Amino acid sequence: MIIKTNKLNLWYGAFQALIDVDLAIERNRITALIGPSGCGKSTLLRVFNRMNDLIEGVRMSGSVNFEGKEILDHEIDLITLRKRIGMVFQRPNPFPLSVFENVVYGLRVHGEKNKQVLAEAAEKSLSAVLLFDELKDKLSMNALGLSLEQQQRLCIARLLSVTPEVLLMDEPCSALDPFATMKIEELMIELKKQYTIVIVTHNMQQAARISDDCGYLLLGELVEFADTKKIFTTPADKRTEDYITGRFG
Amino acid sequence: MKRAFEFLIERAIFLSGIASIIFVVLIFFFLLKEGLALFQTESLTGFLFGKNWYPISDPPRFGILPLFLGSLLVTLGAIVIAVPLGLASAIYVAEVAPPKLRDILKSGIELLAAFPSIVLGFIGIVTLAPFLKSVFHLSSGLTALAGSIMLAFMAMPTIVSIIEDAIVSVPKNYREGSLALGATHWQTIYRVVLPAASSGILAAVMLGIGRVIGETMAVLMITGNAAVLPTSILQPVRTLTATIAAEMGEAVSGSEHYYALFAIGIVLFIISFVINLLADLFLHRKAAR
């Protein structure tokens, strides 16, 4: 187990967005968080790299343990945390820089200056997301000129270059067409050999296709968390059953 | 009856609408007519590159090179001061300042734009000029540098508010992407936010230049008004605008001197036009993205 939450509560001002969430994320597996809009699944994901800190008026209680470290600790080094736990966003968000500068961005901000190292890392990361052959002659083009699928792959490559351990993915395919979605899903299954992946998705079929573990959230509560097969065949909770059979949500 | 009323209203609105264009065209032709008359007696190169501006000597000399270089020197100096300061100020207002302070700062910057330039010029004469005089041990503090500093103050509100707008309109997901990779706030600003806002920043610089080069009263008061080729920023200079303002009253209508001042007007018009065009191109490029 790589991340474990214990009685995690989160408030946006007076609104409680997460209620007593207990969850354990296993290494080298894909964990999917599903649930209707506003159930808190993205909020939960953003606890793991403390991106919620950017929102004013956020309070948290309980604990989130990441390899023996307390993520909620105010003293924690956010730079190291975010280097180890990377994030892919809903809309591909490459920077308005060249493809190469996008990939090596993380390394640059962490102080890497050696051109050789940067070039090797760029090739390795782009190869890992199967973009290198496509883009090896276009490394200096502006990343905003790529297709959406390529942009999302590039964002994943950008993460891989800083060698994280966990990849958080916040609805990574929602801006993509079905074919591009399939390709990104194949990539995720490939990536889980080396990384731990947590994905938020509103697409239940996607969760069923790619995840190993699955958690169902409703109104800030983690209703059920289990093996994906079990969630989708014999859910223990009536509310989960209602959601996955399409009676609700 | 009602038809006729509608017709009248529509015509009236139409006329008001095209009035601004008509006025621009009229002004433009008037400027051309009066300015180009100079070149019946004076050569274009003698006017643009002549080193002496002696409009009332005999024979008169109408070389605007010293005036042009005076404008250039004062403008460059103002931009060198105003752009780094304005950029830093805009970054602080947009990215760092707490919301309450941000509102106060923004209204403060707008208030700076509300000062009539003659007031700033006056304050410059009584405070800045003596200060520069004693710091650099000059015989007079009324120099190009004094003009640059005053003009930098006048260009700041334009520069800060346009750069601030450009920074605020950088999409949030760029910032999130950068922070999520473990970049610090400052790294995010200079590696992602500023490049993303670069066209807005260039437009701000252009409009700042436009503001500075067209300014008259303050530079007339504070640059020392010596129409000589400038060799140092610590020397009195005279700008194109100040020349027109200072000499229009004494130039006899229809004289060569009078035409020369209009020709300077054409030069200023062309400079402003090009600068505004460039600023527009930069702003447009941003909108197209």
Side-chain angles (χ1 to χ4, degrees), chain A residues 83-85 107 124-125 157-167 195:
Chain A
K83 207 174 145 189
R84 295 179 68 188
I85 305 185
L107 291 172
K124 200 171 154 224
S125 312
R158 186 170 75 184
L159 268 191
L160 300 186
S161 73
V162 296
T163 57
E165 292 150 63
V166 181
L167 308 181
Y195 305 93

Side-chain angles (χ1 to χ4, degrees), chain B:
Chain B
M1 181 60 210
K2 200 174 174 196
R3 280 261 170 97
F5 183 68
E6 291 276 320
F7 179 82
L8 281 176
I9 291 287
E10 271 177 24
R11 287 305 113 153
I13 291 173
F14 172 74
L15 282 178
S16 331
I18 63 162
S20 59
I21 295 177
I22 291 173
F23 289 136
V24 167
V25 171
L26 286 178
I27 292 170
F28 180 68
F29 278 109
F30 185 75
L31 190 61
L32 277 188
K33 180 178 149 285
E34 300 290 69
L36 292 180
L38 175 74
F39 300 109
Q40 288 165 355
T41 51
E42 176 78 31
S43 75
L44 183 62
T45 46
F47 173 69
L48 289 178
F49 303 110
K51 293 188 184 118
N52 298 302
W53 176 261
Y54 301 139
I56 44 176
S57 70
D58 192 24
R61 310 279 289 275
F62 297 110
I64 63 163
L65 195 61
L67 313 177
F68 182 78
L69 290 180
S71 275
L72 193 71
L73 190 62
V74 172
T75 304
L76 279 182
I79 290 304
V80 164
I81 299 167
V83 169
L85 213 59
L87 186 61
S89 161
I91 290 172
Y92 180 73
V93 173
E95 289 278 339
V96 186
K100 263 188 198 158
L101 186 57
R102 177 175 311 162
D103 292 341
I104 297 173
L105 283 172
K106 281 179 84 167
S107 17
I109 290 162
E110 274 154 31
L111 209 63
L112 190 57
F115 276 111
S117 69
I118 195 143
V119 173
L120 282 178
F122 189 52
I123 295 173
I125 285 185
V126 297
T127 59
L128 183 63
F131 174 74
L132 291 177
K133 184 179 167 183
S134 71
V135 168
F136 294 104
H137 307 292
L138 303 169
S139 54
S140 162
L142 300 173
T143 55
L145 180 62
S148 296
I149 294 173
M150 281 333 282
L151 287 182
F153 271 108
M154 290 179 210
M156 280 277 280
T158 313
I159 292 178
V160 173
S161 56
I162 294 175
I163 295 182
E164 202 247 349
D165 276 353
I167 290 178
V168 168
S169 62
V170 170
K172 193 177 112 215
N173 60 14
Y174 289 167
R175 283 169 230 271
E176 287 192 331
S178 172
L179 293 173
L181 282 166
T184 62
H185 188 181
W186 170 238
Q187 286 172 328
T188 301
I189 290 171
Y190 85 86
R191 284 184 184 272
V192 176
V193 175
L194 293 185
S198 60
S199 53
I201 294 172
L202 279 171
V205 172
M206 285 298 156
L207 289 174
I209 294 177
R211 172 86 176 82
V212 165
I213 209 154
E215 175 50 43
T216 309
M217 271 342 279
V219 285
L220 178 67
M221 292 164 82
I222 206 173
T223 54
N225 258 320
V228 291
L229 280 178
T231 51
S232 145
I233 195 152
L234 293 175
Q235 197 188 314
V237 296
R238 185 197 266 184
T239 64
L240 293 165
T241 49
T243 305
I244 299 179
E247 296 176 9
M248 201 40 118
E250 64 198 49
V252 181
S253 176
S255 69
E256 225 184 337
H257 186 193
Y258 171 89
Y259 292 138
L261 294 180
F262 271 102
I264 293 180
I266 296 176
V267 172
L268 276 170
F269 172 78
I270 292 170
I271 295 173
S272 301
F273 181 78
V274 168
I275 289 169
N276 278 319
L277 195 71
L278 286 176
D280 216 47
L281 282 179
F282 288 127
L283 279 178
H284 213 73
R285 202 177 69 186
K286 181 179 139 205
R289 260 216 310 252

Side-chain angles (χ1 to χ4, degrees), chain A residues 93-138:
Chain A
N93 60 346
F95 305 128
L97 308 170
S98 70
V99 170
F100 181 80
E101 283 305 320
N102 264 283
V103 183
V104 301
Y105 183 87
L107 291 172
R108 281 206 196 276
V109 301
H110 296 300
E112 183 60 62
K113 288 197 176 76
N114 186 320
K115 282 192 179 142
Q116 184 78 24
V117 175
L118 293 175
E120 278 167 17
E123 174 170 352
K124 200 171 154 224
S125 312
L126 284 173
S127 303
V129 297
L130 310 175
L131 263 186
F132 188 69
D133 289 333
E134 269 170 73
L135 294 184
K136 66 180 170 211
D137 302 321
K138 300 182 193 162

Side-chain angles (χ1 to χ4, degrees), chain A residues 18-55:
Chain A
L18 292 175
I19 305 161
D20 286 340
V21 172
D22 291 326
L23 171 83
I25 289 160
E26 299 288 338
R27 202 179 280 280
N28 293 106
R29 284 166 80 88
I30 298 179
T31 303
L33 301 173
I34 58 170
S37 303
C39 68
K41 53 194 194 299
S42 282
T43 299
L44 177 56
L45 195 72
R46 282 164 177 257
V47 167
F48 301 143
N49 66 348
R50 291 271 300 268
M51 283 304 272
N52 287 324
D53 286 22
L54 299 180
I55 302 164

Side-chain angles (χ1 to χ4, degrees), chain A residues 136-188:
Chain A
K136 66 180 170 211
D137 302 321
K138 300 182 193 162
L139 292 180
S140 58
M141 82 177 265
N142 192 313
L144 298 183
L146 300 175
S147 74
L148 277 180
E149 185 209 333
Q150 287 175 322
Q151 288 189 9
Q152 196 61 302
R153 281 177 189 270
L154 180 65
C155 291
I156 298 172
R158 186 170 75 184
L159 268 191
L160 300 186
S161 73
V162 296
T163 57
E165 292 150 63
V166 181
L167 308 181
L168 306 175
M169 300 195 166
D170 191 355
E171 304 196 17
C173 301
S174 64
L176 305 180
D177 64 54
F179 187 69
T181 299
M182 191 181 85
K183 308 258 272 198
I184 297 283
E185 286 177 2
E186 282 168 7
L187 174 63
M188 287 166 67

